[in-house]
Structures are given as C-alpha cells and as structure tokens.
Amino acid sequence: MSQVIYLNGQFVEKEQAVVSVFDHGFLYGDGIFEGIRIYGGNIFKCREHLNRLYDSAKSIMLDIPLSYEEMEQALVETIRRNGMKDGYIRLVVSRGTGNLGLDPRRCPVASVVIIVEQLAIYPEEAYVQGLKTVSVSSRRNIPDALNPKIKSLNYLNNILVKIQANLADVGEAIMLNAQGYVAEGSSDNIFIVKNGIVFTPPCYIGALEGITRAAIIELCEKLGYKLKEEPFTLHDVYVADEVFFTGTAAEVIAVREVDGRIIGSGQAGPITTHLLQEFRGIVTVDGVKVFS
Ligand code: PMP
C-alpha cells in the first residue's frame, strides 16, 4: 500500500505532498507539531497529544483551521487510509504561506500535514543494556525566550544538542538549563531513581510536558513508587541508582553510562524495567481505537 499524506484537507501521494517555499514553517520554523504513536490500531494518548497541540497553537496565536474533533477525524482517516496498525504519526501545523517578511498576519491560513510512517526504534537489547549518554554544552532555551513547553517547529536548540550527541557517538544527550539544572534530552524527558524514589525535573526548568513523562508519573502513582518533580544537577544523575529517558519514540529507555560514570549496575535497573513493562501494557488500551 502506498503512503498517503494528509495535506490541507486532501489525501495525496507522498510525491505530491509539498508545501510552498513561502510557508513560514519552512522560512522561520513558525509552527507546531506532535509526534504520536499508534500501537495495535490504538492512537496512544490521542487526547493528550491534541490538547498539547492546541495549547501550543494558543500560546503562539496560531489558528488551527480544524476543530479538535475534525483534527481527530483527520488523524483517524489518515491512519485508516495507510492501513497502519503500528507506527508513528507526525502532525504538523505551520503558520502557512505568506511573504518573506516575518509578519504572521501575512499568512492567512495555517498548513496542516499528517504523515503516518513506520518507526525506527532502538533495538530491544538497548532496553536491557541501557544507552550510553553524555551531557552537552548547549543549554535549553530559557522559558521567557522560547518556552520549551511549546512544541514548536523551531527545533534548532534540540538539533544543536543532537549534533553534540552525534560527535560523542551517542543516541541521546542530556541538556541543562541556563542555571545548570538538568532539563531534558534532545527529544526525550529524563528521570533518575535514587534510594527507591523517582525524580524528574519540573517542566518550568525547561522541559517539554512529555506525554510519556506524564504517563510514567501516573504509573509511578499507580504502582506505589514515590515520585518527586524537583530540580536536580548532573551530580545527582552521576550518583543515581537508575537513569532513564522517556519519549513517544523511545518509550522508557534506560541509561547505563553518563559522561563516563557507570549508572547503578551498568544496565537497566529494576524500577526502569518495571515501568517499561507497565507502560507497554497501557499503549494498546489508552487512546483512540482506529482498528480493533
Ligand atoms: N522533550 C522534547 C524536546 C521532545 O521533542 C520530546 C518528544 N516529543 C519529548 C521531550 C518527549 O515527549 P513525548 O513523551 O510527548 O514524546
């Protein structure tokens, strides 16, 4: 089956799915997006992703030309037309086509794109062995410049981190905020475990309100793990018993080494492994069903 893309209300073949060079998403990174997973025909946490999308849109004063219900329908229909039960959905809303000036008032209609694709994920061994990671010198955008809670198309901050991760030959890296507190990865949230307590930085530190992060916080409550949202430093990461990243693509992935320090036993720890198992138990049930 060929890949069908949703583009501004139409379903088009991949080759025809093009936007204007005057689109401000292209010219200025002016827009927002979501990365969503579909597991066994279930759009995992669909409502939460759409809520974050519409919140990001409100924050940057971007009018999404579809109602919430129409957007959910567009997602469902794109998935159905691609016949994809397991995959990754990229939902992009850019400011739309304007002129070369910055002014968003010159962009009368936002562009909406939905792409459904196979996902390249970490091999299963990585979830047992854990990732090697490093901290990088690029700092997280400060919230009063470009708030990291907005899932904007402007990902240069994250890309600079990814470049440093590539140079260190690691898949994900740890970004600090301007004060030196741990913020998040290039495209994942971060958690540490110390003496049985699970910690994650509060989002005001400079982190996206990750949907997986929220699911893990909920699971911690359900499973009886004490969880604290509080700022911590790299030192706390180095001496943690367990460290893991969370994200739509990565799910819950252990970290075995940070800046040359071996974390815990040097592989996925018991709480990380338990949370991953429980997380995988909810991905096919919590969301919107497209196929059963
Ligand atoms: N932080 C950043 C910067 C991200 O891009 C992502 C991926 N969307 C995350 C965290 C994880 O968020 P989620 O669990 O919603 O995928």
Side-chain angles (χ1 to χ4, degrees):
M1 190 181 281
S2 68
Q3 191 176 11
V4 182
I5 315 278
Y6 175 97
L7 175 63
N8 298 327
Q10 312 281 323
F11 292 96
V12 296
E13 296 293 321
K14 189 176 179 177
E15 293 68 30
Q16 276 76 56
V18 289
V19 292
S20 166
V21 293
F22 289 94
D23 191 296
H24 280 206
F26 173 71
L27 286 173
Y28 296 115
D30 182 357
I32 53 175
F33 76 102
E34 280 298 316
I36 310 170
R37 283 283 278 275
I38 174 156
Y39 289 95
N42 178 56
I43 310 176
F44 179 54
K45 298 275 185 191
C46 186
R47 192 174 1 104
E48 288 78 356
H49 280 284
L50 288 180
N51 285 341
R52 188 170 65 184
L53 182 84
Y54 280 83
D55 282 353
S56 289
K58 185 171 185 185
S59 188
I60 68 164
M61 299 187 87
L62 171 62
D63 280 331
I64 300 181
L66 280 77
S67 70
Y68 186 101
E69 290 71 27
E70 288 167 339
M71 187 64 91
E72 187 178 301
Q73 246 342 91
L75 278 179
V76 167
E77 189 54 26
T78 313
I79 292 163
R80 202 172 273 145
R81 285 180 188 234
N82 282 280
M84 184 91 74
K85 278 193 165 180
D86 290 277
Y88 180 83
I89 306 159
R90 175 55 57 92
L91 169 51
V92 181
V93 185
S94 78
R95 190 76 64 177
T97 303
N99 60 16
L100 286 183
L102 276 180
D103 193 346
R105 291 174 301 186
R106 298 285 169 267
C107 307
V109 193
S111 304
V112 181
V113 176
I114 303 172
I115 304 167
V116 181
E117 269 211 331
Q118 297 288 355
L119 181 66
I121 41 179
Y122 291 114
E124 210 41 47
E125 312 88 75
Y127 289 88
V128 180
Q129 290 163 2
L131 302 177
K132 190 176 157 179
T133 190
V134 294
S135 60
V136 294
S137 60
S138 280
R139 297 302 171 108
R140 192 66 176 116
N141 285 332
I142 56 171
D144 47 2
L146 175 55
N147 197 317
K149 286 186 178 182
I150 302 166
K151 198 161 168 57
S152 87
L153 287 183
N154 190 326
Y155 252 49
L156 253 189
N157 188 200
N158 313 65
I159 289 163
L160 291 172
V161 173
K162 186 70 184 165
I163 289 169
Q164 288 196 274
N166 291 347
L167 290 170
D169 203 21
V170 295
E172 181 56 291
I174 299 173
M175 194 174 7
L176 310 182
N177 74 359
Q179 286 75 41
Y181 290 104
V182 171
E184 59 180 338
S186 66
S187 56
D188 294 303
N189 290 107
I190 188 166
F191 287 74
I192 63 174
V193 181
K194 184 72 175 175
N195 299 328
I197 302 174
V198 183
F199 296 86
T200 193
C203 289
Y204 66 75
I205 282 286
L208 183 74
E209 291 181 311
I211 308 296
T212 322
R213 175 186 182 276
I216 291 302
I217 291 174
E218 246 177 64
L219 279 176
C220 282
E221 275 164 22
K222 189 182 135 205
L223 301 170
Y225 293 121
K226 190 164 184 190
L227 179 125
K228 291 188 180 175
E229 284 185 67
E230 62 180 48
F232 54 82
T233 61
L234 267 181
H235 166 81
D236 304 303
V237 178
Y238 296 155
V239 302
D241 302 322
E242 301 181 38
V243 177
F244 61 91
F245 288 115
T246 64
T248 294
E251 301 180 315
V252 178
I253 185 128
V255 172
R256 68 164 193 277
E257 188 184 320
V258 182
D259 294 339
R261 280 81 164 176
I262 302 297
I263 304 302
S265 61
Q267 57 175 14
I271 295 181
T272 308
T273 306
H274 189 199
L275 288 169
L276 172 64
Q277 268 168 8
E278 293 288 329
F279 178 77
R280 287 191 170 159
I282 61 168
V283 293
T284 51
V285 287
D286 187 343
V288 168
K289 275 262 172 238
V290 181
F291 307 106
S292 45

